[in-house]
Amino acid sequence: MRIGVIGAMQIEIDNLKKSLENSTTEEISSVQFVKGNIGEVEVVAAVSGVGKVFAAICTEAMILKYQVDMVVNIGVAGTLCKELGVMDVALASQVVQHDMNTSALGDDIGLLSGINQIYIPSDEKMTALMEQCIAEKEIHYKVGTIATGDLFMQGERQKEKLHQRFDAIAAEMEGGSIGHVCRWYVCCYCADSQRGGTVAFCYHGDDDALRSKCDGCRNICSNCARYSNFFGSFVGCIWFGGFVVYQ
């Protein structure tokens, strides 16, 4: 199995890179990818840059070049609800791009043209594994929608509007874009976000046989199930990097 890890900023990837054994570095599309091992699992880590376009470029390059089985986005998110504070974890049940707006054409705000979805749901089985892992670490968390957009949320009015419109619990700038790319490549999808914005995806690449066994990116198929035991422990390893939810 090969897992891809994407952070928007260097500080979000540094601790993980230190854990990689036998690492090598390669530059693709102006993004540096570091490949190595954690135990018996191959890991590819990259710093995408801030924002949805940089995140999409990095995600597609990672999928096409390294044929990763899963993509994990780690980083920082801002809380949109009273239940989350600094250093808490927001576990995403789904992601939405809050700045996608073609409502002038009659669409709902957030609708992603081409896939005709507002929300990209996380895989229930993988989300449950993440929740179990967080609970075992006795870290305070909340499950809900993570909102992504090319806008740094800073005003109370902005935060309240976003929370009310999408029932979002946290906001960040890359996760929804990464989910969109993985969804485009036909994926089983799972999201964990944050001690800062962690989103994970399992994609099937060009294998039509695997695609046919996954139900609309909602239910993990038997071919993906073999990743789940590792995934629970791997997420635990990742968020000890010190990612934070800011207020």
Side-chain angles (χ1 to χ4, degrees):
M1 179 174 59
R2 182 176 295 160
I3 293 180
V5 182
I6 299 173
M9 300 181 290
Q10 190 67 49
I11 194 172
E12 298 169 346
I13 293 294
D14 280 344
N15 284 346
L16 176 63
K17 287 169 62 176
K18 294 175 184 178
S19 301
L20 297 179
E21 300 177 350
N22 304 315
S23 63
T24 59
T25 302
E26 182 178 14
E27 185 171 306
I28 304 168
S29 300
S30 299
V31 178
Q32 280 199 342
F33 293 89
V34 181
K35 182 181 176 182
N37 290 80
I38 296 180
E40 297 180 357
V41 179
E42 285 187 84
V43 177
V44 181
V47 177
S48 65
V50 175
K52 296 197 301 181
V53 174
F54 283 128
I57 291 170
C58 182
T59 305
E60 183 172 54
M62 180 176 282
I63 289 173
L64 295 179
K65 171 64 177 180
Y66 295 100
Q67 298 291 301
V68 290
D69 301 295
M70 199 177 291
V71 178
V72 180
N73 171 219
I74 60 180
V76 177
T79 181
L80 298 176
C81 62
K82 296 179 180 179
E83 294 86 352
L84 290 175
V86 175
M87 296 303 292
D88 288 340
V89 174
L91 179 60
S93 57
Q94 57 189 4
V95 289
V96 61
Q97 295 181 43
H98 65 78
D99 59 351
M100 184 68 183
N101 189 344
T102 54
S103 59
L105 303 177
D107 296 333
D108 292 329
I109 296 177
L111 183 72
L112 300 173
S113 301
I115 63 174
N116 200 35
Q117 289 178 241
I118 296 176
Y119 301 97
I120 299 177
S122 58
D123 180 84
E124 293 180 2
K125 184 171 182 177
M126 286 189 177
T127 301
L129 286 170
M130 288 184 175
E131 189 170 3
Q132 179 183 350
C133 185
I134 296 169
E136 288 176 355
K137 300 298 182 183
E138 298 183 345
I139 298 171
H140 184 258
Y141 71 95
K142 182 176 176 62
V143 180
T145 301
I146 305 300
T148 298
D150 286 328
L151 177 66
F152 195 92
M153 307 301 294
Q154 57 181 336
E156 288 299 323
R157 187 169 178 271
Q158 284 181 316
K159 292 167 60 177
E160 184 63 25
K161 186 177 180 180
L162 196 56
H163 175 68
Q164 290 180 352
R165 175 170 288 162
F166 298 108
D167 194 27
I169 62 173
E172 45 78 74
M173 301 177 71
E174 293 81 33
S177 177
I178 291 173
H180 194 167
V181 173
C182 290
R183 171 64 179 82
W184 189 254
Y185 279 91
V186 185
C187 65
C188 253
Y189 159 68
C190 183
D192 170 30
S193 186
Q194 336 333 340
R195 244 178 197 201
T198 307
V199 184
F201 310 87
C202 175
Y203 97 107
H204 294 316
D206 297 323
D207 193 325
D208 292 332
L210 291 183
R211 291 182 184 184
S212 66
K213 294 181 180 180
C214 281
D215 178 18
C217 293
R218 292 176 183 270
N219 299 313
I220 187 169
C221 67
S222 59
N223 295 281
C224 296
R226 62 193 174 92
Y227 301 137
S228 58
N229 288 336
F230 173 80
F231 190 65
S233 61
F234 188 63
V235 171
C237 170
I238 286 177
W239 31 246
F240 285 127
F243 317 123
V244 299
V245 169
Y246 63 85
Q247 292 180 301

